[in-house]
Amino acid sequence: MSTETLNSAAELRAFLHGLPGVDQVGAEERAARLATRSIKTTAKAEAIDLAISMVDLTTLEGADTAGKVRALCAKAAHPDPADACVPKVAAVCVYSDLVDVAVRSLEGTGVVVASVATSFPSGRAPLEAKLADTRAAVAAGAAEIDMVIDRGAFLAGDYAKVFDEIVAVKEACGDAHLKVILETGELATLDGVRRASWLAMRAGADFIKTSTGKVSPAATLPVTLVMLEAVRDYRASTGRQVGVKPAGGIRTTKDAIKYLVLVNETAGPDWLAPEWFRLGASSVLNDLLMQRRKLATGVYSGPDYFTLD
């Protein structure tokens, strides 16, 4: 059973406010220092392939169509049709009404289908509506659910409401993995990020995720550092490993490699796998492919060489 028992709202509040405070200046300095690490030649090629394999290729627009999702799935399974050695991405993430299209398109590829649920991106809907959305996505074949927490409840200190909603959504997921989106750009402080991370993990999250990608700022290195520290410490405390997914604002190969260095130096190499770390950054895939081709051939392909998402 991954969900911890909540004895009382007071117990949860006492636990969350008893967590060590985050030294914001220290976190920012450490993240900036790790971002200066350089990776060359063979190690860079390996890092690029690893980053590609961690991408959640995503389309979450009101104008999404079945055709757009099928095209995205084709790219997910074969990011560079001219090079069969390029790894497939980790997942394709779509709205719940397009899950069945993605599942059919990805059958036999090993790429899983994720779906945003629980009134993405605002999280403002009755719990029963959130649960119905989750159940519909799972029934259509989603292997992962990305839920958003009620940030209003969290910021008002109603931690028990947020906890109980995560528990309920986790139960509605059945065998599907649950990624809990904290929307860190709205949590105000790194202390809030640490508390939200621990709350989500104690409620049963399989992954904690920075952002919906609809709010600025989205993923940042200091925020991700705090979340990586949280999953590291949570595993040390409970024995259960939880994944991390920064999402939004990761656009270049250099950005992606900074996050891989951060993972290795903060949580450790056990998290350097798609099962435990994802990049919610569809726009970064083309740059990773361009840099990969440059390393392999010495020739730099322009951005129009690969399909645009």
Side-chain angles (χ1 to χ4, degrees):
M1 186 70 175
S2 60
T3 303
E4 295 184 33
T5 301
L6 175 60
N7 295 320
S8 69
E11 180 271 339
L12 181 61
R13 170 179 289 278
F15 173 81
L16 294 176
H17 283 269
L19 292 169
V22 178
D23 176 358
Q24 181 157 341
V25 172
E28 291 172 351
E29 288 180 349
R30 176 168 169 75
R33 185 167 64 253
L34 291 174
T36 64
R37 298 274 181 91
S38 65
I39 298 178
K40 303 295 185 183
T41 59
T42 303
K44 184 175 182 180
E46 292 173 354
I48 288 173
D49 277 2
L50 180 58
I52 291 171
S53 76
M54 291 172 164
V55 168
D56 279 2
L57 206 53
T58 302
T59 184
L60 297 170
E61 302 297 335
D64 285 345
T65 64
K68 182 178 181 181
V69 170
R70 283 191 287 266
L72 198 69
C73 290
K75 183 170 184 175
H78 304 288
D80 184 353
D83 187 350
C85 293
V86 177
K88 61 183 179 291
V89 305
V92 167
C93 186
V94 296
Y95 278 116
S96 56
D97 62 319
L98 289 166
V99 166
D100 60 335
V101 176
V103 169
R104 290 196 301 270
S105 300
L106 291 169
E107 186 174 2
T109 64
V111 179
V112 304
V113 177
S115 177
V116 293
T118 65
S119 191
F120 179 94
S122 70
R124 307 223 62 86
L127 178 58
E128 281 308 314
K130 296 178 181 182
L131 297 179
D133 194 18
T134 300
R135 293 185 187 112
V138 173
E144 299 176 354
I145 295 295
D146 288 30
M147 76 166 285
V148 287
I149 66 167
D150 183 335
R151 282 89 72 193
F154 181 87
L155 291 170
D158 194 351
Y159 302 132
K161 179 181 180 182
V162 180
F163 183 97
D164 289 344
E165 285 200 350
I166 296 172
V167 170
V169 174
K170 174 64 177 174
E171 183 177 355
C173 284
D175 293 333
H177 282 187
L178 176 62
K179 300 205 227 38
V180 176
I181 306 170
L182 309 180
E183 199 66 287
T184 54
E186 294 183 341
L187 297 187
T189 67
L190 292 181
D191 284 331
V193 172
R194 175 168 286 174
R195 288 176 188 141
S197 298
W198 274 87
L199 185 156
M201 292 187 292
R202 290 193 62 180
D206 297 298
F207 259 78
I208 51 175
K209 177 178 170 181
T210 63
S211 325
T212 61
K214 307 294 187 182
V215 170
S216 182
T220 67
L221 289 170
V223 159
T224 307
L225 170 68
V226 170
M227 293 169 66
L228 287 165
E229 289 175 341
V231 297
R232 177 198 65 199
D233 295 345
Y234 183 77
R235 188 180 72 169
S237 175
T238 68
R240 186 170 79 89
Q241 187 162 337
V242 175
V244 174
K245 177 181 172 180
I250 305 168
R251 295 185 175 86
T252 67
T253 298
K254 185 177 291 187
D255 290 338
I257 290 176
K258 288 177 183 178
Y259 278 93
L260 296 186
V261 170
L262 193 69
V263 173
N264 188 63
E265 297 298 321
T266 306
D270 286 354
W271 271 266
L272 282 174
E275 293 79 13
W276 303 110
F277 191 75
R278 298 284 181 83
L279 294 166
S282 293
S283 61
V284 79
L285 181 57
N286 276 2
D287 194 68
L288 287 164
L289 295 172
M290 287 188 287
Q291 296 299 331
R292 188 184 193 281
R293 182 170 287 270
K294 172 66 164 57
L295 284 177
T297 67
V299 177
Y300 186 82
S301 302
D304 57 345
Y305 182 86
F306 301 99
T307 59
L308 298 176
D309 304 323

